[in-house]
Amino acid sequence: MNHPAALAELRAVMDRLEPEPEHTRHVAALAVRLFDQLAPLHGLGPDHRVLLEGAGWLHDLGWTVSEDGSDHHKHSARLIREQSWSHLSAPDVARLALVARYHRKALPSLEHREFQALPATDRDEVCKLAAILRIADACDRSHLQAVRDVHVRILPDFLEFTLVATAPPLREIAGAGKKGDLARLVFERNLAFRHEAAPDTPADARPVTPESPARPGAGPPP
């Protein structure tokens, strides 16, 4: 894969079709930050990083054709497959579409025809990338880009995610607790989420304690 050409092509599709590029650009940036920090666990390479960034940019395309958004993840996958790609192979497009599809709702399943059709190795890659994208998307649940950065600490029994923001991102932490379901399975670890004040946060706005427990299921549906 020609990485610069593929990224330019993916970005062009986002610029042309994405209704809220501020959100998707931010999700993509957080996703690749997570990808790099989780490298010891996922073992994926530069091609996969490109696919993850692209899926971050394109995961919400389906909002353009979904009246209430309930199935927009499925429409996103379909729209990705329908594009004319010059710098992505057919297997690349198949994985890209599924990573975007699984950013929300149901987890990857052999009951899904497109997922079942992939080779076993590709299915494993889709699961790992989708697990990362789900958390990255949750980290901008409010669509306000409140979470400036995410740091991951890999421990034997769990992964600790620190969300850097000027104020406690309670909706994001709740969303990440819920959408971390696939990551728990893929990386075989429990997940913990905490808040760290961004460097430019006023002293009187900093939390008394940095710990913010995940509250799965809190808030509106992601």
Side-chain angles (χ1 to χ4, degrees):
M1 181 192 298
N2 182 323
H3 295 164
L7 287 169
E9 186 172 37
L10 288 160
R11 196 160 43 239
V13 173
M14 177 188 67
D15 291 342
R16 179 165 52 88
L17 298 178
E18 171 54 46
E20 195 180 353
E22 298 84 0
H23 166 67
T24 58
R25 280 195 295 264
H26 194 63
V27 168
L30 294 175
V32 296
R33 282 283 290 144
L34 292 171
F35 179 92
D36 293 344
Q37 295 174 76
L38 290 168
L41 295 183
H42 61 63
L44 302 177
D47 286 2
H48 303 102
R49 192 179 191 273
V50 169
L51 292 178
L52 177 62
E53 188 164 11
W57 286 335
L58 305 181
H59 72 278
D60 275 351
L61 289 185
W63 276 101
T64 61
V65 294
S66 178
E67 291 185 3
D68 62 0
S70 60
D71 286 333
H72 79 266
H73 53 301
K74 297 178 183 179
H75 290 297
S76 294
R78 175 179 59 79
L79 289 170
I80 288 169
R81 294 189 190 98
E82 290 176 352
Q83 303 305 306
S84 298
W85 299 101
S86 299
H87 300 286
L88 296 175
S89 67
D92 290 337
V93 174
R95 288 178 294 173
L96 173 71
L98 285 171
V99 174
R101 172 186 174 159
Y102 293 127
H103 83 273
R104 71 189 293 269
K105 294 291 187 180
L107 302 184
S109 169
L110 291 176
E111 295 181 0
H112 301 155
R113 182 185 61 190
E114 293 85 358
F115 184 71
Q116 184 184 50
L118 295 179
T121 300
D122 288 9
R123 291 200 296 266
D124 179 67
E125 294 166 357
V126 165
C127 288
K128 290 176 178 177
L129 295 176
I132 294 171
L133 183 59
R134 288 170 82 90
I135 293 176
D137 187 46
C139 286
D140 195 37
R141 191 177 186 182
S142 65
H143 288 220
L144 297 174
Q145 295 79 62
V147 174
R148 307 279 186 83
D149 198 2
V150 182
H151 304 302
V152 184
R153 189 159 64 112
I154 301 174
L155 296 163
D157 297 325
F158 70 95
L159 300 175
E160 182 184 72
F161 295 81
T162 300
L163 281 57
V164 180
T166 55
L170 298 181
R171 290 187 66 193
E172 282 70 22
I173 288 173
K178 182 176 181 179
K179 294 180 71 172
D181 46 4
L182 184 55
R184 291 186 188 94
L185 296 173
V186 167
F187 300 124
E188 298 181 332
R189 283 166 170 80
N190 290 319
L191 311 183
F193 298 90
R194 63 189 293 270
H195 165 233
E196 178 180 295
D200 56 350
T201 303
D204 59 0
R206 292 174 181 267
V208 175
T209 171
E211 299 297 335
S212 298
R215 297 183 295 111

